[in-house]
Amino acid sequence: MALDAGQAPDEFKAHPDWKDIAPSIAESVTLGDGLRRARESSGKSLADLSAETKVHSRFLTALEQNDWSSLPSRVFAIGYVRGYAAALGLDEQLAVERFKRDSPDTSAPLKAPIGIAFEDVKRYSPRIIAVVAVAALAIVGWNVFQRINLMKAPRASDIAAVPESWTLGDVPGQNGLIDLSAPRAAPLDQTTPALYITPGLEAQLTGIDPNDPAVLAATAAANNAPVQKAFNPRGAVYGAPATASQVVIQAKKAGALVVRLGDGQALFARQMAAGEAWRAPMGVSATIDVSDPAAFDVYLNGEHGGILPAVLTPLAQLNSRAEQAARQVAGAQARRVAQARAVRAAQQAAQPAPPPVAATN
């Protein structure tokens, strides 16, 4: 008979040989505490219990200390708890249930819900499904009924016969045919009004008379020099600032660009992508080494100057070309200004002198 049955009656406690029974495992703080107190009340040692249950004393000590990690496995641990309780005359099943409560098995999968509440749901589920189905059918049937009522049967048109004017193409209110005139010319396109120029101001600033056709024709002929396409950055621009460079090398397609100084040191080296460019500094003696000369455009003073002439190109050669082109542009501009001033002076000399003004007293 299990000793873990609760409190003993008072008449048993009055007997001189009475010993207090071990406290209930269910009332103990922990399972290990209840097992230890029951063993101490029985007067047995861990060695005695080990010899009786055939369980090593270190596992019995782990049970009393609630050290579940020292037990070999959960199945063996439950067997140890059951043997420990049987050796002390305790309720084995109660001890096992207390062990499972103190050390729950986290590896066990979740089970399907059971109980009275779940059974009620299972019992009433067909009724609930039937009610929902009837409500859905009622709603669908009501909508179908309403749509059928709104439908009208096709009927004949109220027009008994097609009017004769409709067949002939006449328009009511017009007795004769309409004569169309010749098409008119398209309206003139909208143009931007000409820029207003203050009379005498442009001639004073530029030395060119805007009212003289000969001077304007000479100026236009001088300004008709061909202009190459300008440099347009389409990617990252490396190298010197724009104000300190006259030569720009831009990649038309991917290619390697290496710029070496006279001592062989690399000034710039990069695998250029299409659109990327490098501004060459002025006054630097270096050599441009590329993988494909046709893959790189050269811009001198912002204007296109062709492609690189060779795989190895001296930078001084490109800077010299840029300086020469700049001098040519400056010389042409100076000649145009001098020519305009000469024409202006000739016009002023050809004008008659104003008559003298008589002195008045």
Side-chain angles (χ1 to χ4, degrees):
M1 178 179 179
L3 299 179
D4 191 9
Q7 300 293 333
D10 294 337
E11 56 269 19
F12 292 138
K13 294 182 179 180
H15 195 276
D17 295 334
W18 170 259
K19 288 184 179 181
D20 291 335
I21 60 178
S24 173
I25 294 178
E27 297 176 358
S28 302
V29 179
T30 61
L31 172 64
D33 185 58
L35 294 177
R36 179 182 54 78
R37 294 174 61 183
R39 179 181 59 77
E40 293 176 352
S41 299
S42 65
K44 295 182 180 180
S45 64
L46 287 175
D48 297 337
L49 284 179
S50 177
E52 184 176 350
T53 60
K54 310 302 181 182
V55 179
H56 200 280
S57 59
R58 71 171 182 272
F59 296 143
L60 300 179
T61 303
L63 289 176
E64 292 185 355
Q65 296 178 357
N66 301 304
D67 186 9
W68 317 127
S69 60
S70 299
L71 300 175
S73 66
R74 188 172 183 82
V75 176
F76 283 97
I78 293 175
Y80 296 162
V81 171
R82 191 181 299 276
Y84 197 120
L88 296 178
L90 302 176
D91 190 341
E92 301 176 15
Q93 187 62 31
L94 183 60
V96 171
E97 294 298 330
R98 182 59 188 271
F99 171 75
K100 293 181 179 180
R101 188 180 67 181
D102 291 353
S103 177
D105 186 7
T106 57
S107 61
L110 297 177
K111 297 181 179 180
I114 57 175
I116 297 177
F118 182 70
E119 294 296 334
D120 292 341
V121 173
K122 291 179 61 178
R123 187 184 309 115
Y124 292 109
S125 293
R127 300 179 185 178
I128 296 174
I129 295 174
V131 171
V132 172
V134 170
L137 290 176
I139 294 173
V140 173
W142 174 258
N143 283 275
V144 172
F145 177 74
Q146 292 294 329
R147 289 183 176 274
I148 293 176
N149 287 338
L150 294 177
M151 295 176 60
K152 296 181 179 180
R155 58 187 181 86
S157 175
D158 296 336
I159 301 177
V162 179
E164 184 179 359
S165 60
W166 290 15
T167 60
L168 299 179
D170 295 339
V171 178
Q174 295 182 357
N175 297 326
L177 299 177
I178 300 176
D179 295 333
L180 299 178
S181 60
R184 297 181 179 180
L188 297 177
D189 293 338
Q190 182 179 3
T191 58
T192 304
L195 180 65
Y196 176 77
I197 301 175
T198 304
L201 181 61
E202 185 174 357
Q204 183 69 25
L205 295 177
T206 63
I208 300 175
D209 187 4
N211 297 322
D212 191 344
V215 176
L216 294 179
T219 305
N223 291 333
N224 284 337
V227 178
Q228 301 295 334
K229 65 179 181 179
F231 169 66
N232 181 20
R234 298 190 304 272
V237 180
Y238 306 96
T243 57
S245 175
Q246 293 178 311
V247 177
V248 179
I249 300 175
Q250 187 177 38
K252 295 191 295 184
K253 60 182 180 180
L257 172 63
V258 180
V259 182
R260 295 185 178 88
L261 298 176
D263 56 357
Q265 182 180 0
L267 176 63
F268 178 80
R270 182 176 177 82
Q271 179 69 24
M272 305 289 284
E276 293 183 342
W278 177 73
R279 288 195 183 98
M282 295 185 297
V284 175
S285 178
T287 302
I288 300 174
D289 185 359
V290 295
S291 58
D292 182 11
F296 294 90
D297 285 328
V298 178
Y299 291 88
L300 306 176
N301 301 318
E303 294 185 6
H304 186 253
I307 61 175
L308 285 175
V311 175
L312 298 177
T313 305
L315 180 57
Q317 177 183 348
L318 299 179
N319 283 328
S320 177
R321 288 176 53 190
E323 293 175 0
Q324 183 179 0
R327 287 194 298 267
Q328 291 177 355
V329 172
Q333 184 68 21
R335 287 192 299 271
R336 287 195 297 269
V337 173
Q339 183 180 0
R341 290 179 179 177
V343 172
R344 180 63 177 174
Q347 291 178 349
Q348 292 178 355
Q351 293 179 356
V357 179
T360 58
N361 295 330

